[in-house]
């Protein structure tokens, strides 16, 4: 390793350990001394590499326990997405369009892969929606409904990205989202949409699940344009 940026090469070696399967989510990294000997670099380079990996959210340091590969990554996507959104002077509609693209295909995958347990969870959410909860609970239930569908896709990348996009919505257009979900004229339509989505998923109807999800997202986008 004869390069001025030795720590970057240390990062590449740690990434290779992940790609090769030597390190997995939640695993403890080798101690600093072992990395120094194994990679033939200085302890300073190893520490610089570990700090960089902590900053990007790949590694977390547990006091007294060493360095570990993180198990959850969704939160690490939110800040970069927020900065990109701000720096590129993006419009709120772009967040909604991204969510629509992701949600429609996610519904298709969920229709193929959803479990009875996931369907029971969705049915319970709809039941609670019908009981006229307060406005804050309405928003929480709506987010949970879509999260369960994302999880039912059995695609971890989709879950991570949709969670980040949902948090981006909360950061930039939260009030509009709450207002739409809780407008009296929209409540019945939104509830009907959720029931249709549930029925399509329960029937494992891929095309219908995508269709009703697209209708649902189009309705949200149309109403958010009012704000």
């Amino acid at each position: 390793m004869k390069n001025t940026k030795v720590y970057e090469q240390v990062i590449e070696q740690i990434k290779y350990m992940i790609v090769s399967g030597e390190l997995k989510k939640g695993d403890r990294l080798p101690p600093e001394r072992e990395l120094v000997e194994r990679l033939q670099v200085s302890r300073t380079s190893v520490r610089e590499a570990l700090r960089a990996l902590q900053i990007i959210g790949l590694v977390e340091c547990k006091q007294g326990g060493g360095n570990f590969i993180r198990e959850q990554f969704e939160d690490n996507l939110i800040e970069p997405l927020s900065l990109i959104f701000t720096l590129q002077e993006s419009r709120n509609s772009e967040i909604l369009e991204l969510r629509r693209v992701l949600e429609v295909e996610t519904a298709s995958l969920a229709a193929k892969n959803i479990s009875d347990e996931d369907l029971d969870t969705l049915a319970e959410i709809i039941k609670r929606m019908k009981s006229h909860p307060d406005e804050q609970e309405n928003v929480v239930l709506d987010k949970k409904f879509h999260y369960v569908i994302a999880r039912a896709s059995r695609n971890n990348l989709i879950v991570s990205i949709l969670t980040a996009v949902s948090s981006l919505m909360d950061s930039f257009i939260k009030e509009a989202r709450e207002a739409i979900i809780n407008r009296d004229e929209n409540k019945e339509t939104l509830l009907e949409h959720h029931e249709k989505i549930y029925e399509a998923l329960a029937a494992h109807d891929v095309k219908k699940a995508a269709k009703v999800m697209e209708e649902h997202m189009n309705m949200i986008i149309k109403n958010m344009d009012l704000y």
Side-chain angles (χ1 to χ4, degrees), residues 3-226:
N3 204 317
T4 53
K5 295 184 178 179
V6 179
Y7 81 94
E8 292 181 353
Q9 296 189 35
V10 175
I11 290 173
E12 288 302 314
Q13 289 296 315
I14 293 174
K15 286 165 62 177
Y16 176 77
M17 292 180 198
I18 295 171
V19 172
S20 66
E22 182 179 345
L23 289 174
K24 297 180 177 64
K25 288 194 304 182
D27 283 354
R28 185 178 185 273
L29 271 70
E32 285 185 12
R33 182 181 299 176
E34 183 178 330
L35 288 172
V36 167
E37 294 175 356
R38 178 171 174 176
L39 304 178
Q40 293 296 294
V41 296
S42 68
R43 179 162 288 190
T44 298
S45 295
V46 168
R47 288 178 176 174
E48 287 178 353
L50 291 173
R51 278 197 296 270
L53 291 171
Q54 288 168 18
I55 289 170
I56 66 174
L58 180 64
V59 169
E60 62 180 335
C61 178
K62 297 181 181 180
Q63 190 169 6
N67 295 289
F68 293 79
I69 303 297
R70 291 181 66 93
E71 295 199 46
Q72 300 294 330
F73 300 98
E74 290 88 345
D75 292 345
N76 301 321
L77 295 174
I78 297 168
E79 187 172 351
L81 276 177
S82 297
L83 290 173
I84 290 169
F85 179 86
T86 303
L87 290 171
Q88 293 186 337
E89 299 180 356
S90 302
R91 303 182 306 276
N92 288 343
S93 61
E94 293 181 38
I95 303 176
L96 297 169
E97 289 164 359
L98 174 59
R99 186 178 169 209
R100 175 174 57 186
V101 169
L102 292 169
E103 293 264 15
V104 171
E105 185 58 30
T106 298
S108 295
L109 289 171
K112 293 180 185 178
N113 301 317
I114 197 164
S115 67
D116 290 341
E117 183 180 354
D118 291 328
L119 288 169
D120 289 344
T121 302
L122 292 177
E124 179 61 27
I125 291 171
I126 291 173
K127 180 180 178 181
R128 288 174 64 187
M129 286 177 169
K130 287 181 176 179
S131 68
H132 305 293
D134 60 37
E135 293 186 358
Q136 285 298 113
E137 186 175 358
N138 235 339
V139 175
V140 172
L141 288 172
D142 186 82
K143 289 177 65 176
K144 185 177 180 182
F145 185 87
H146 287 273
Y147 177 80
V148 172
I149 294 173
R151 187 181 64 196
S153 74
R154 302 295 180 257
N155 185 310
N156 292 325
L157 280 175
I158 286 178
V159 174
S160 296
I161 293 170
L162 271 177
T163 300
V165 171
S166 181
S167 296
L168 195 64
M169 285 181 63
D170 286 349
S171 298
F172 290 94
I173 45 181
K174 183 178 181 180
E175 291 181 3
R177 178 178 183 169
E178 291 178 352
I180 289 161
I181 290 175
N182 294 291
R183 288 177 67 189
D184 289 337
E185 60 266 40
N186 287 335
K187 283 183 179 179
E188 187 173 342
T189 302
L190 286 169
L191 183 58
E192 182 181 328
H193 283 184
H194 286 107
E195 290 179 323
K196 285 183 177 179
I197 292 167
Y198 170 80
E199 290 167 3
L201 294 173
H204 299 284
D205 190 327
V206 173
K207 290 184 178 179
K208 187 176 180 181
K211 182 176 182 292
V212 293
M213 180 62 80
E214 186 166 22
E215 290 173 355
H216 177 61
M217 294 308 304
N218 284 340
M219 182 263 190
I220 292 174
I221 290 171
K222 179 181 177 181
N223 279 273
M224 279 195 173
D225 284 345
L226 298 175

